[in-house]
Amino acid sequence: MFALVQVEDFDQGELYARLKQSADEKACGNTGAIVTFTGLVRDFNNAGDIDGIELEHYPGMTEKALMLLVEQASERFSLNSAGALHRVGRIHNNEQIVWVGAAAPHRQAAFDAACYLMDMLKQSVPLWKKEFKGDKSEWVAAKASDDKAALKWMRKK
């Protein structure tokens, strides 16, 4: 299992390999599915076009919260391995911002775990986002849709 917070871009292939190696070390021959998700910065919001975003975080606290989420997903979905990476700092449109991965004996657990990681990440990991347009920036408030997505997992056991 792993949880990373970094400024630099990431290589999806390297993260997949790390996830698979971790799963093989825990349960060699028992991983039947690996699901990954990579999120990109959109070039628009509800008000129109944007030029990119900037994410701020509390070093130490953010990594700890992300690792706790990965551990919770691993336990909840009986995963062989799980991982997450979130970028911080200035990120331009169409660049990678987040990656999650789940390795499980069966595909449904892997799919569910990846969805859980993304839905809960926005609620449980301390990150703050600003959107930029030209030389102006604006902090982004939490979305009701993100709250709703996390709530469905809190109701399911």
Side-chain angles (χ1 to χ4, degrees), residues 1-4 13-23 81:
M1 289 189 298
F2 59 93
L4 306 166
E14 288 177 11
L15 294 170
Y16 177 92
R18 184 173 179 176
L19 181 70
K20 186 172 185 316
Q21 180 179 354
S22 174
S81 187

Side-chain angles (χ1 to χ4, degrees), residues 7 11-13 22 32 35-36 46 54 64 73 80 92 103 105-106 119 126 138 140-141 144 147 150 155:
V7 172
D11 181 316
Q12 295 177 48
S22 174
V35 171
T36 68
N46 290 339
E54 184 170 348
K64 185 176 180 179
N80 294 338
H92 299 284
H106 302 285
D119 289 344
E138 186 172 319
V140 177
D147 292 340
R155 291 181 180 150

Side-chain angles (χ1 to χ4, degrees), residues 1 26 68-79 82:
M1 289 189 298
K26 179 179 179 187
L68 179 60
L69 178 61
V70 167
E71 290 169 352
Q72 290 169 343
S74 185
E75 183 177 322
R76 180 173 183 154
F77 298 99
S78 300
L79 301 177

